[in-house]
Amino acid sequence: MHRRNIFILLVFTAVSIKTFGQTTRSHGVFWGRLILADRINDRWKWELFLQKRTQNIPHEKNIFGALHYNSFLIWTNYCINKNLKLYLSPLGYFDSYPFLSEPEDIDLPGIKEFRFSARLEHELKGKHVDFSSRFTTECRRRDINQNDVYIPNWRLRYMTRFEKPVIGILQNNKPVSFFISDEVLVQFGKAVKNNASMFDQNRAAAGFSLEVVKNIKASFSYLNIFQQRANGKDFDDAHALWAVVTFDNLFSQFKRP
């Protein structure tokens, strides 16, 4: 009951923010993520995220019309116990472009960012539905003014996720997992000290995932990104197709037993 109330509160917060926004711009987005992963030992694992996000040009429908960002992140994961995992990212790099307000904004320069992250994730296997929650801390350093001066700030993220594996849809021994999630992001620090509020964005997703073949997984979902601009009066409402392909046990699967 407590977890359900938290989830409802997060969704209500996002809906309330949308209601009071003065100017909201809608966007179409494609978010592609390639994950290369392998185990180091029974408790440690590494992952490399390669990402590309695109957006439509205003008044056009093509979600691949303009770049939103390119990025890579390195993650190391430690399994504390069967329900609790610690994730550390010593390095992440982003080349980001803002959501476009007008077609001519496509010529605006990008913002380079280095990111360092820590995440704690708790998972519970239920009789019918699996539940997970995660808390992430990010230290971001961004060249906001394009002058090679990287200004820092902190961002905190909290996500809840419900997942339901279903056997027999495609293969009898490999389930298709359906999921919904909601994540709230807030930020503070030097780079955002003049922002109207700490709220950054809310991300709500619904989709499914499956193992295509052994060690190759795919996930497809609809993701709504509702993001506040620095002035606190303008918002971006992005409707995203999110596709993730994971290559697991990248090298270890070829080792002889």
Side-chain angles (χ1 to χ4, degrees), residues 9 22 27 40 70 97 103 106 115 120 133 184 199 211 215 220 232 246:
L9 177 61
Q22 294 184 10
H27 310 274
I40 300 172
N70 287 316
Y97 297 80
I106 195 172
R115 185 182 299 181
L120 196 62
S133 61
V184 175
F199 176 77
E211 186 176 26
N215 294 318
F220 302 93
T246 302

Side-chain angles (χ1 to χ4, degrees), residues 195-237:
N195 285 19
S197 73
M198 291 178 60
F199 176 77
D200 177 29
Q201 58 186 282
N202 186 87
R203 297 176 178 178
F208 67 95
S209 62
L210 71 159
E211 186 176 26
V212 181
V213 296
K214 185 178 180 180
N215 294 318
I216 300 179
K217 301 174 184 177
S219 172
F220 302 93
S221 60
Y222 164 76
L223 176 68
N224 177 250
I225 306 169
F226 192 74
Q227 184 167 333
Q228 184 181 49
R229 296 198 178 189
N231 61 17
K233 298 179 180 179
D234 298 330
F235 293 84
D236 295 291
D237 189 13

Side-chain angles (χ1 to χ4, degrees), residues 25 57-59 99-108 229:
R25 296 176 175 86
I57 298 172
H59 314 304
F99 281 119
L100 303 177
S101 300
E102 300 295 339
E104 54 269 23
D105 290 345
I106 195 172
D107 296 322
L108 292 174
R229 296 198 178 189

Side-chain angles (χ1 to χ4, degrees), residues 39-55:
R39 66 179 185 269
I40 300 172
N41 55 40
D42 290 341
R43 287 188 175 267
W44 284 97
K45 182 179 181 180
W46 64 265
E47 294 177 315
L48 174 63
F49 285 22
L50 303 174
Q51 302 184 117
K52 186 181 186 71
R53 212 155 87 177
T54 59
Q55 60 179 311

